[in-house]
Amino acid sequence: MRLSRRGLLRAGLAGTAATALGGLAAGCAVPAGSTGRNMVLWYWSGGLSDTVVKEATARYGKDVRLKAQQIGGYYRSKLITTLAGRAHIPDIAGLKGEDMASYLPNADQFVDLRTLGAERLKSRYLDWKWQQGVADDGSLVGFPIDVGPVVHYYQPAVFDKAGLPHEPADVSRELDTWEKFFAAGEQLRRRVRGAFLLTDVGSVFEMSLGQGTTRFVDRDRHFIGDGEHVRACWDRAVEAKRRGLVSDIVSGTPDWNSAAERGLLPSQLNASWAAGDLKLGLPKTKGRWRVADCPGGPSNVGGSFLAITKACREPERAFEIITWMLDADNQAQGFVDAGLFPSTPASYGMRRLREPDPFFGGQITMDVYGPAAEKIPVAYNSPYDIALGQPVRDEIKNVGVLGKDPDQAWRDAMGKCRRIADHLGVSY
Amino acid sequence: MATAPALDKPPAAATGTTAVHRRKGVLSHWRLYAAISPFYLLFLCFGLIPVGFSLYLSFHRWDGLGAMEWAGLAQFRYLLTDTDFWSSIGNTLIIWALATFPMILLAMVTAVMLNSAVRFKNVYRFAYFLPNVTSIVAVAIVFGSVFSTNFGLMNALLQAVGLDQVAWLNTPWGIKVAIATLMTWQWTGYNAIIFLAGLQTIPSDLYEAARIDGAGPVQTFLRVTLPLLRPTLLFVLVVSTVTGLQSFAEPQVLLQTTANESTFSGGPDHAGRTMVLYFFQQTFDNNDFGYGAAVAWGIFLVVVLFSIINWRLVQRRGED
């Protein structure tokens, strides 16, 4: 067939009309949530155990078609765009722990899980984690997936060479305070050439802050980041720098990998999920790491939640599905599959989780993670915490990396915090 | 424009008929307009409406989910006094200048060489274009290795010629140079191909004339090639300005660490925090969508300003 110009134009016109009509029709009939037998679940890669998702799909297949969708890219912005657009909202949505504080003021977008009988399951989950999913009005928005207890990863061979305790139990006991930890760092630097206890000052500040119960903004929308509790964490980080315990290496770079492999950065304070990063990034160091308690006490980094949106047509069914997916058994599976540390203490005693880990020289790491997870303090996370914590975090980095004068840095941070607080309507 | 030649102005009588013809044309050619409408409809949906909405948003306070609250000019007032925003403009301009001027020079030299290359012309063109279509995230990760302190290629080169190591990604200037180098690498080939297209529109008899008049290669380049490349140069400059002023992924990925911290902070002393990175931080870290929109409009004004400056610069040179 020869294509004439007229023919092409007609085809183009028809195409446009069809698109416009289709768009219009779709625009009028966009459903707010899922359709048909579908029950849509949004999460991100590695956010849930694939095995458990597959089993849940089969298990509830006679009632609903569970469509578990991994959403790539910037998850939170996609979820809130969809919620704000009121179209194709998933029935069940994963909420990342670090975003939780920003979802809670909009608790009306989600079903209050207490209305579905969540309270009777409360005792099976870590209390501090449960509290993180509760909004100001008392409604339960998020159902606990995993937690991220912070521990002390270290290389026993290097600690031994430095004349430091190197058995996990000894390290936990003898380096239990920041002061003893720093003293050990000085000894390490003296005895092992080129070795540093800390990669940067950020981890000291961050973990210290996590060990307390107050952060930057309180429940009354008042800025408390200038208080003694933040200042103490700041001073501790500055002290680590002053005592020469901090390397000039950027974490995550080839330099870091190489230094860790050569035993020059033999210690790392990080969450349970960092074990996965170590295994992936430094496969050659298999067997050369151990896990001990974090100096100064337990804290948490990361961990996420599942929530049921208001668009869900069958909240009872959805609740049945998420509580099954997140029971102690399946959370244990989540740890095995994806390194998701369970928020259900009953999982910690299961044989699957008490397997010796060859990467950690056959240590049963659960002996460290489990007790740490149970002792994490409850802290209030304000939706303004990120904005008002950032200047402090930026300035402690300037102290650590650029050697900025700590007093000047603190003044700069506080000055900036006051300006931001003023802008955001937070009192100070 | 009083001295402008009247040559391109058609006679008055002709203007009248053209206008009538044109008016009729719009209606009688409705099919043609309908045929090209998909672009405009899509642009309306995904371009114009979001742009309008962001303007609306910049007069509000919004956390992205809850109720919007009217803020009047408060966001813009804060923007004007926000030292972080002004420093991000400074960072962007420094990085842009560090990237663009070497890039234009390299691209022009490359284009002249490509133009005189006899064999494998297409292979070269393909090779030079490749960096531009490579994923910026992948490129930034590679450059992160290149600029790492102890095992980076850059420091290996410095040490080979007897210089000291530089902690590229841990010092304010090192960060800027690293980002600029990445951008230069990525855009040189693309712009070389644009320059090459410009070179090929220059009639060869001009070169012949120059040769007969006894001009050397440098003189030919400065007196023939460069003046005739001016429109191309303008295009390259404007495009580089628009892309350079919107740089975002380069610093974000290059300065990403595995530490538990914001990926939008731009490294120590915010040395790599460009305007768009700052916009992302305000919008997506702080959930301050209203202020984010105001920052976006601030960026827009800066880009417009620099496009005008570029245009005037190249234009004025054309007049004298």
Side-chain angles (χ1 to χ4, degrees):
Chain A
M1 194 189 101
R2 227 184 113 250
L3 273 176
S4 66
R5 211 160 67 141
R6 193 170 291 264
L8 267 177
L9 279 179
R10 279 212 190 104
L13 196 62
T16 311
T19 315
L21 273 177
L24 213 61
C28 295
V30 171
S34 58
T35 50
R37 286 181 70 244
N38 290 341
M39 172 78 78
V40 179
L41 162 65
W42 273 22
Y43 68 117
W44 51 93
S45 170
L48 291 166
S49 150
D50 291 338
T51 319
V52 173
V53 168
K54 208 176 289 167
E55 281 174 13
T57 314
R59 186 183 163 96
Y60 296 96
K62 60 181 191 304
D63 304 312
V64 293
R65 205 159 75 102
L66 184 64
K67 284 179 74 176
Q69 298 174 344
Q70 282 192 5
I71 306 296
Y74 207 64
Y75 179 84
R76 179 176 178 278
S77 90
K78 290 185 183 173
L79 181 61
I80 62 171
T81 311
T82 309
L83 288 170
R86 299 181 199 294
H88 298 293
I89 300 173
D91 298 276
I92 305 170
L95 309 178
K96 292 190 181 180
E98 65 266 32
D99 303 331
M100 206 56 200
S102 69
Y103 290 119
L104 291 179
N106 296 297
D108 57 339
Q109 300 276 347
F110 304 96
V111 174
D112 179 1
L113 300 178
R114 291 179 307 177
T115 61
L116 301 170
E119 288 294 323
R120 72 189 148 77
L121 300 169
K122 188 171 186 278
S123 60
R124 300 184 197 171
Y125 293 81
L126 293 168
D127 183 59
W128 63 268
K129 174 75 179 177
W130 190 274
Q131 300 302 334
Q132 284 185 349
V134 178
D136 278 354
D137 63 359
S139 63
L140 182 68
V141 172
F143 200 81
I145 304 180
D146 63 321
V147 296
V150 173
V151 293
H152 179 192
Y153 297 98
Y154 71 98
Q155 299 184 356
V158 183
F159 273 36
D160 190 23
K161 199 172 151 196
L164 295 169
H166 51 89
E167 285 301 324
D170 297 339
V171 173
S172 297
R173 196 180 52 247
E174 289 176 38
L175 306 185
D176 60 337
T177 65
W178 287 102
E179 175 47 43
K180 291 186 205 164
F181 181 63
F182 287 172
E186 284 179 327
Q187 187 173 334
L188 171 76
R189 201 167 64 113
R190 273 198 308 271
R191 305 252 180 110
V192 182
R193 225 179 111 77
F196 288 95
L197 184 69
L198 296 158
T199 306
D200 47 43
V201 292
S203 59
V204 175
F205 179 77
E206 218 53 59
M207 303 318 166
S208 296
L209 195 66
Q211 289 165 353
T213 53
T214 40
R215 288 171 188 264
F216 296 98
V217 180
D218 69 10
R219 281 181 196 279
D220 302 323
R221 211 166 154 166
H222 185 75
F223 176 64
I224 51 169
D226 52 355
E228 209 33 62
H229 62 287
V230 176
R231 184 66 205 223
C233 304
W234 170 280
D235 289 342
R236 189 173 292 146
V238 170
E239 191 193 336
K241 170 76 180 170
R242 192 176 49 76
R243 290 168 75 169
L245 310 178
V246 184
S247 79
D248 57 1
I249 290 171
V250 183
S251 67
T253 59
D255 285 352
W256 190 89
N257 286 353
S258 145
E261 257 170 29
R262 288 158 57 207
L264 299 180
L265 286 173
S267 168
Q268 196 189 3
L269 306 177
N270 215 334
S272 51
W273 42 258
D277 296 342
L278 283 180
K279 290 175 186 176
L280 206 67
L282 303 168
K284 277 191 233 157
T285 61
K286 182 177 175 179
R288 281 164 43 191
W289 293 90
R290 297 291 184 279
V291 184
D293 291 340
C294 182
S299 59
N300 175 71
V301 175
S304 42
F305 298 85
L306 280 181
I308 300 173
T309 64
K310 276 280 165 67
C312 179
R313 292 163 301 159
E314 290 180 83
E316 287 84 7
R317 179 81 66 208
F319 187 67
E320 200 186 328
I321 296 173
I322 67 171
T323 49
W324 181 80
M325 285 173 72
L326 301 175
D327 70 10
D329 247 353
N330 285 325
Q331 290 222 10
Q333 187 62 40
F335 185 67
V336 174
D337 285 358
L340 299 165
F341 193 85
S343 52
T344 43
S347 311
Y348 306 162
M350 291 181 185
R351 193 156 6 108
R352 273 189 286 182
L353 300 199
R354 302 194 49 79
E355 294 285 338
D357 189 333
F359 189 84
F360 293 103
Q363 186 185 358
I364 299 168
T365 53
M366 192 53 69
D367 289 338
V368 181
Y369 293 136
E374 290 183 80
K375 283 182 299 209
I376 290 164
V378 184
Y380 173 68
N381 264 318
S382 162
Y384 302 101
D385 245 32
I386 293 177
L388 284 160
Q390 197 61 43
V392 184
R393 296 186 165 101
D394 289 342
E395 289 296 344
I396 194 70
K397 189 175 198 170
N398 290 346
V399 173
V401 176
L402 305 176
K404 184 170 177 177
D405 172 48
D407 294 326
Q408 183 61 44
W410 176 260
R411 277 196 299 275
D412 288 352
M414 288 303 118
K416 208 164 266 182
C417 281
R418 276 193 286 274
R419 273 175 38 78
I420 296 172
D422 197 39
H423 168 62
L424 295 175
V426 173
S427 62
Y428 56 87
Chain B
M1 292 302 276
T3 55
L7 269 177
D8 51 293
K9 208 188 262 174
T15 317
T17 47
T18 325
V20 170
H21 186 78
R22 207 170 281 154
R23 207 173 307 133
K24 236 162 107 192
V26 172
L27 291 176
S28 67
H29 292 310
W30 67 273
R31 286 185 191 82
L32 296 172
Y33 286 102
I36 58 165
S37 64
F39 169 77
Y40 292 97
L41 290 175
L42 289 175
F43 175 72
L44 191 72
C45 270
F46 299 104
L48 205 58
I49 292 175
V51 166
F53 184 68
S54 79
L55 188 62
Y56 173 77
L57 205 54
S58 64
F59 292 98
H60 291 80
R61 286 189 188 89
W62 193 39
D63 69 351
L65 259 186
M68 277 192 211
E69 190 192 321
W70 175 254
L73 284 169
Q75 307 283 21
F76 288 101
R77 263 202 302 274
Y78 182 69
L79 184 72
L80 285 178
T81 59
D82 187 354
T83 48
D84 281 344
F85 178 64
W86 291 103
S87 86
S88 76
I89 296 181
N91 288 340
T92 313
L93 294 182
I94 292 169
I95 293 169
W96 170 79
L98 284 177
T100 303
F101 296 115
M103 183 272 288
I104 286 183
L105 199 72
L106 284 173
M108 211 173 283
V109 171
T110 312
V112 171
M113 290 197 307
L114 275 180
N115 201 25
S116 52
V118 197
R119 282 202 269 172
F120 309 125
K121 213 176 234 184
N122 283 327
V123 175
Y124 286 129
R125 281 182 210 179
F126 174 74
Y128 280 111
F129 193 65
L130 210 55
N132 196 248
V133 289
T134 310
S135 154
I136 181 68
V137 175
V139 173
I141 289 171
V142 172
F143 271 74
S145 299
V146 169
F147 281 103
S148 71
T149 309
N150 294 326
F151 296 95
L153 194 61
M154 222 36 137
N155 277 340
L157 287 176
L158 285 184
Q159 282 173 322
V161 294
L163 294 169
D164 280 341
Q165 275 191 355
V166 175
W168 292 104
L169 299 178
N170 249 349
T171 51
W173 275 98
I175 286 172
K176 291 192 173 82
V177 170
I179 297 169
T181 311
L182 192 163
M183 287 163 71
T184 305
W185 179 81
Q186 197 178 26
W187 287 96
T188 298
Y190 172 84
N191 286 312
I193 288 175
I194 306 274
F195 279 130
L196 180 64
L199 284 178
Q200 286 169 346
T201 61
I202 301 176
S204 57
D205 39 348
L206 285 178
Y207 287 109
E208 273 166 38
R211 207 167 38 237
I212 290 164
D213 288 346
V218 175
Q219 237 177 345
T220 312
F221 180 77
L222 291 177
R223 297 290 168 91
V224 179
T225 313
L226 211 52
L228 288 168
L229 265 187
R230 193 166 287 132
T232 319
L233 188 62
L234 172 69
F235 175 80
V236 166
L237 209 54
V238 168
V239 169
S240 310
T241 307
V242 172
T243 52
L245 294 184
Q246 294 184 56
S247 56
F248 155 68
E250 298 89 349
Q252 197 221 352
V253 184
L254 202 58
L255 300 173
Q256 208 168 35
T257 69
T258 49
N260 306 306
E261 57 182 26
S262 163
T263 59
F264 302 134
S265 65
D269 203 25
H270 301 310
R273 186 162 71 183
T274 58
M275 294 187 290
V276 181
L277 209 56
Y278 186 60
F279 154 75
F280 263 77
Q281 186 181 36
Q282 293 305 309
T283 313
F284 297 113
D285 268 358
N286 296 359
N287 299 308
D288 197 348
F289 285 75
Y291 187 55
V295 172
W297 280 94
I299 297 171
F300 171 75
L301 290 181
V302 173
V303 173
V304 166
L305 181 74
F306 276 84
S307 298
I308 292 173
I309 292 174
N310 274 340
W311 185 67
R312 294 289 304 174
L313 273 179
V314 179
Q315 202 68 353
R316 197 173 303 146
R317 263 195 228 129
E319 276 161 18
D320 52 46

